[in-house]
Amino acid sequence: MKKYLITGFSGFVGQHFLEYLENRGQACLVKGLDIHEPCFGFDHLKNVIVRFEIIDLLSKDRVEYIIHDFQPDYILHLASFSSVAFSWKEPIASFINNTNILLNLLEVVRKSNLPVRILSVGSSDEYGNGNEKYLSLTEDMPLKPVSPYAVSRVSQELLSQIYVTGYGLNIVMTRSFNHIGPYQNDIFVIPSFVRQLVKLKKEGIENTELITGDISIIRDFTDVRDVVSAYYQLLMQGEKGEIYNVCSGKGWALQEVIDIICGMLNMKVCIRLDTKLFRPDDNKIVIGSNEKLKKTINWDARYSLKQSLQDMIRDWEGRI
Amino acid sequence: MKKYLITGFSGFVGQHFLEYLENRGQACLVKGLDIHEPCFGFDHLKNVIVRFEIIDLLSKDRVEYIIHDFQPDYILHLASFSSVAFSWKEPIASFINNTNILLNLLEVVRKSNLPVRILSVGSSDEYGNGNEKYLSLTEDMPLKPVSPYAVSRVSQELLSQIYVTGYGLNIVMTRSFNHIGPYQNDIFVIPSFVRQLVKLKKEGIENTELITGDISIIRDFTDVRDVVSAYYQLLMQGEKGEIYNVCSGKGWALQEVIDIICGMLNMKVCIRLDTKLFRPDDNKIVIGSNEKLKKTINWDARYSLKQSLQDMIRDWEGRI
């Protein structure tokens, strides 16, 4: 039975990856690690046996014990402090976490000589600003990170590459673009829109005001179920030492997304821009190329933006 | 009186920077910080008043106290774990030190709102491999670090840039190439050659064998006295947020350097190559462009390689 170690298990990507494994129909073992308890259950799963453990991944001794004990075939490294805003407030905490937990994992694997395959998940934020002239970001473009979070991601990626070339570890890396889907926390922009609009609809308010940041910005959204499918296949077939954009390849303005949600809910909203919500360093357009990903694995985005939003509306209708 | 805080004070660059300040003839205060005691004195200096303190720069509280107490006008940040070999043995220690001590310094400065000017010293190792086709490395070339040490330096530079653009700190950065000169530790290649040859000469052995790594590699050597002059002038006139190569712009094969030393000592040596001393990832040629440096400050390398080697020989003759 194959064994998967998943860091950052309790997040919404972890939850979907678990569903993905369950739906594959093959028995497997998962060891989930996170600093927080998951808010989802896993006792109902038939094919996946899950053991979960609360852990601070900065504790190297504990990481070492777990990896030696569990002997994973695959590590899906999702854990990170992923908020750009937090990284501006606490740059040291953000940087240290995102680099040191990776280093702890990689050092334990290096010293144990375990033939484990690792997927290290990075971010489209690594591209940063200055690439606006390109309509589609490719993996060979220069990285110009513009936040402490983005720098931590670039450092994570450079360290991963060193562990491949210098120590021979079997690591595949991603630069993952925005993803959306059911179960997502509403600290992110799209689920925040969906939650607010579903709530207003439930309260019978169909003509209202929505306070937003800059909704002219264009982003590349991928459904989380497509993302976890890419992660699984990259774990199986990605080329060691290579970096892959995980993205839909299509751009949507936030304004368009709001229009689609309103259309589905049969609502009308008046947008009120709050400049305090504008991010000074935001790129106007961030769209990735998924050509390299498609060439390597048998993957394509199956969920349209509309499908994702429909499922998110249903999810929030059940939650509110 | 201008106040300089110097981290990594006890190294040979610190020692030469102190001499540079003394020779400028203007009274100033220096607070030297290092984890090791310096092996040089400073009581004889007439223009520079030095206070030295042993400190682990990972101790943020201590860094905070010192900066608040000393209120420096300038920070020369030299402290680092600078051995590539060590970084391969202890990648976590190397990376954490080189990034976290910088973060500690920058966070204290950011929170104190002190209008201090900072020079963050980086390394030509940041360029890494893959730029061999260029005879002269310029600051806009892509960085392809190939050791944990080099990754830590790239991360340090990216973090410095974030503190300039995101928080407005007044930082200038360098990528410093190999430097040589009197007082240098013989863990580095050139002083190691000089020490061995001076010792053999003293012992009356004029025809002998020298065990070396790959001496066909070409490096850009700058005299440390030219380096500290560049550092001083960059602290004064470097452009905030900019990165400068500090280098001579000229390449010398290690073989040529050995020949010059032997000529000066009137010796003949037979080279025996030890492949264990070869570094697998070494670039054959590393030569930097100092055009940007020269355009910004009134600087040129004043010490020829021969002058540097002559002075190093004299230094080692006094030491052995």
Side-chain angles (χ1 to χ4, degrees):
Chain A
M1 232 183 337
K2 290 292 179 192
K3 294 194 278 187
Y4 299 84
L5 183 78
I6 305 177
T7 71
F9 175 83
S10 301
F12 107 115
V13 180
Q15 184 173 6
H16 283 279
F17 191 78
L18 213 53
E19 283 194 5
Y20 182 87
L21 288 178
E22 173 72 8
N23 293 336
R24 286 192 71 249
Q26 290 180 9
C28 63
L29 271 180
V30 165
K31 175 91 185 176
L33 303 178
D34 206 297
I35 204 158
H36 302 292
E37 287 278 357
C39 56
F40 52 88
F42 33 75
D43 291 343
H44 62 286
L45 302 176
K46 290 191 180 115
N47 301 311
V48 189
I49 302 166
V50 180
R51 298 181 216 151
F52 172 76
E53 190 166 327
I54 290 269
I55 181 183
D56 182 349
L57 291 162
L58 289 174
S59 160
K60 186 158 169 262
D61 291 347
R62 195 72 208 130
V63 172
E64 193 165 9
Y65 177 84
I66 289 170
I67 288 183
H68 284 196
D69 182 53
F70 186 60
Q71 301 269 316
D73 301 294
Y74 304 100
I75 297 177
L76 176 61
H77 179 47
L78 299 171
S80 86
F81 277 29
S82 59
S83 160
V84 173
F86 174 82
S87 83
W88 281 116
K89 277 183 212 138
E90 297 290 342
I92 294 190
S94 167
F95 183 82
I96 289 184
N97 264 280
N98 290 350
T99 55
N100 293 15
I101 60 178
L102 174 88
L103 276 169
N104 281 348
L105 272 176
L106 299 188
E107 270 296 278
V108 169
V109 169
R110 167 169 94 92
K111 290 192 172 159
S112 68
N113 288 316
L114 207 63
V116 60
R117 172 87 158 172
I118 301 166
L119 188 73
S120 173
V121 171
S123 162
S124 57
D125 274 33
E126 293 174 48
Y127 290 108
N129 287 1
N131 290 312
E132 287 214 338
K133 58 185 170 186
Y134 304 103
L135 271 179
S136 187
L137 297 162
T138 54
E139 291 84 350
D140 54 357
M141 281 183 183
L143 304 179
K144 296 177 180 175
V146 291
S147 71
Y149 167 71
V151 170
S152 77
R153 289 303 207 181
V154 172
S155 301
Q156 173 182 345
E157 187 178 285
L158 292 172
L159 287 167
S160 295
Q161 288 180 310
I162 291 294
Y163 272 80
V164 175
T165 55
Y167 302 119
L169 261 65
N170 195 346
I171 312 172
V172 177
M173 290 146 275
T174 78
R175 292 185 194 139
S176 303
F177 288 61
N178 296 55
H179 26 284
I180 55 171
Y183 324 148
Q184 193 173 15
N185 191 311
D186 66 344
I187 60 165
F188 297 97
V189 61
I190 304 297
S192 160
F193 289 155
V194 175
R195 185 191 58 76
Q196 289 178 70
L197 291 167
V198 165
K199 189 163 176 282
L200 290 165
K201 176 80 183 182
K202 273 215 169 174
E203 288 164 356
I205 304 163
E206 293 185 1
N207 276 295
T208 185
E209 210 176 38
L210 194 65
I211 298 162
T212 71
D214 182 2
I215 55 172
S216 72
I217 61 170
I218 292 170
R219 291 292 178 271
D220 180 327
F221 296 103
T222 312
D223 192 283
V224 64
R225 292 159 290 191
D226 285 322
V227 170
V228 297
S229 155
Y231 288 175
Y232 179 85
Q233 288 177 72
L234 283 174
L235 266 174
M236 300 303 137
Q237 302 154 41
E239 205 170 317
K240 173 178 159 178
E242 289 296 315
I243 299 160
Y244 298 91
N245 283 343
V246 174
C247 56
S248 72
K250 290 181 195 119
W252 298 84
L254 295 187
Q255 172 71 67
E256 291 175 285
V257 176
I258 293 171
D259 290 345
I260 296 170
I261 302 167
C262 287
M264 286 170 172
L265 290 170
N266 200 20
M267 291 173 75
K268 277 186 186 155
V269 291
C270 170
I271 299 293
R272 190 149 66 86
L273 297 181
D274 180 352
T275 50
K276 273 184 242 133
L277 297 173
F278 280 49
R279 292 185 187 169
D281 276 330
D282 254 356
N283 261 347
K284 289 301 275 184
I285 304 176
V286 180
I287 304 172
S289 158
N290 56 22
E291 288 308 309
K292 185 174 174 187
L293 184 72
K294 283 182 178 172
K295 268 185 204 156
T296 307
I297 61 172
N298 180 24
W299 181 90
D300 206 350
R302 293 187 181 183
Y303 290 83
S304 67
L305 181 73
K306 282 189 183 169
Q307 183 65 58
S308 303
L309 293 173
Q310 192 66 69
D311 293 347
M312 289 172 81
I313 288 170
R314 210 166 293 142
D315 174 43
W316 280 103
E317 282 171 345
R319 286 206 247 175
I320 290 170
Chain B
M1 239 187 325
K2 289 294 179 191
K3 294 195 278 185
Y4 298 84
L5 184 78
I6 304 176
T7 71
F9 174 82
S10 301
F12 105 116
V13 180
Q15 184 173 4
H16 283 280
F17 192 77
L18 214 52
E19 284 193 5
Y20 182 87
L21 289 179
E22 173 71 8
N23 293 336
R24 287 193 70 251
Q26 289 180 9
C28 64
L29 270 181
V30 165
K31 175 91 186 178
L33 304 178
D34 206 298
I35 205 160
H36 302 295
E37 288 277 357
C39 55
F40 51 87
F42 33 76
D43 290 343
H44 61 289
L45 302 176
K46 291 192 180 112
N47 303 311
V48 189
I49 302 165
V50 181
R51 297 181 215 151
F52 173 75
E53 191 167 327
I54 290 269
I55 180 182
D56 182 349
L57 292 162
L58 290 173
S59 160
K60 186 158 168 261
D61 290 347
R62 195 69 208 130
V63 172
E64 193 166 7
Y65 177 83
I66 289 169
I67 289 183
H68 283 197
D69 182 51
F70 185 62
Q71 302 269 317
D73 300 294
Y74 303 101
I75 296 177
L76 175 62
H77 179 46
L78 299 171
S80 86
F81 277 27
S82 61
S83 160
V84 173
F86 173 83
S87 82
W88 281 115
K89 279 182 210 139
E90 298 291 344
I92 293 189
S94 168
F95 182 82
I96 288 182
N97 264 279
N98 290 349
T99 54
N100 292 16
I101 60 177
L102 175 87
L103 277 169
N104 282 349
L105 272 176
L106 299 188
E107 271 295 277
V108 169
V109 170
R110 167 169 92 92
K111 289 191 172 160
S112 68
N113 289 316
L114 207 63
V116 60
R117 173 89 159 169
I118 301 167
L119 188 74
S120 175
V121 171
S123 163
S124 58
D125 274 34
E126 293 174 48
Y127 289 108
N129 286 359
N131 290 313
E132 289 213 337
K133 60 185 170 187
Y134 304 103
L135 273 180
S136 187
L137 297 162
T138 53
E139 291 83 351
D140 54 357
M141 281 183 183
L143 304 179
K144 296 176 180 174
V146 291
S147 70
Y149 167 71
V151 170
S152 77
R153 288 304 206 179
V154 172
S155 301
Q156 173 184 343
E157 186 177 286
L158 292 171
L159 287 167
S160 295
Q161 288 179 310
I162 292 295
Y163 273 81
V164 175
T165 55
Y167 302 120
L169 262 64
N170 194 347
I171 311 172
V172 177
M173 289 148 274
T174 79
R175 292 184 194 140
S176 303
F177 288 60
N178 295 57
H179 26 286
I180 55 171
Y183 324 148
Q184 194 173 16
N185 191 311
D186 66 346
I187 60 166
F188 296 97
V189 62
I190 304 297
S192 161
F193 289 155
V194 175
R195 185 191 59 76
Q196 289 178 70
L197 292 167
V198 165
K199 188 161 176 284
L200 290 165
K201 177 78 183 180
K202 275 216 169 176
E203 290 163 355
I205 304 162
E206 293 186 0
N207 276 294
T208 188
E209 211 177 37
L210 193 67
I211 299 163
T212 71
D214 182 0
I215 54 171
S216 71
I217 60 170
I218 292 169
R219 292 292 178 270
D220 181 327
F221 297 104
T222 312
D223 192 283
V224 64
R225 292 159 288 191
D226 284 323
V227 170
V228 296
S229 154
Y231 289 176
Y232 178 84
Q233 289 176 69
L234 283 173
L235 266 173
M236 300 303 134
Q237 302 155 39
E239 205 171 318
K240 173 178 161 179
E242 288 296 313
I243 299 160
Y244 299 90
N245 284 342
V246 174
C247 57
S248 73
K250 291 183 193 115
W252 297 84
L254 295 187
Q255 173 71 67
E256 291 174 285
V257 177
I258 293 171
D259 291 345
I260 296 171
I261 302 169
C262 286
M264 286 172 172
L265 290 169
N266 199 21
M267 292 174 75
K268 277 185 184 154
V269 292
C270 171
I271 300 294
R272 191 150 65 85
L273 297 180
D274 181 353
T275 51
K276 272 185 243 134
L277 296 172
F278 281 50
R279 291 186 189 167
D281 275 330
D282 254 357
N283 260 349
K284 290 301 273 182
I285 304 175
V286 180
I287 304 172
S289 158
N290 56 21
E291 289 307 310
K292 186 175 174 187
L293 184 71
K294 283 181 180 173
K295 266 186 207 155
T296 307
I297 61 172
N298 179 24
W299 181 91
D300 206 349
R302 292 188 180 183
Y303 290 83
S304 67
L305 181 71
K306 283 188 183 170
Q307 181 66 58
S308 303
L309 293 173
Q310 193 65 70
D311 293 346
M312 290 171 82
I313 288 172
R314 209 165 293 144
D315 174 42
W316 280 102
E317 282 172 343
R319 285 208 249 176
I320 288 172

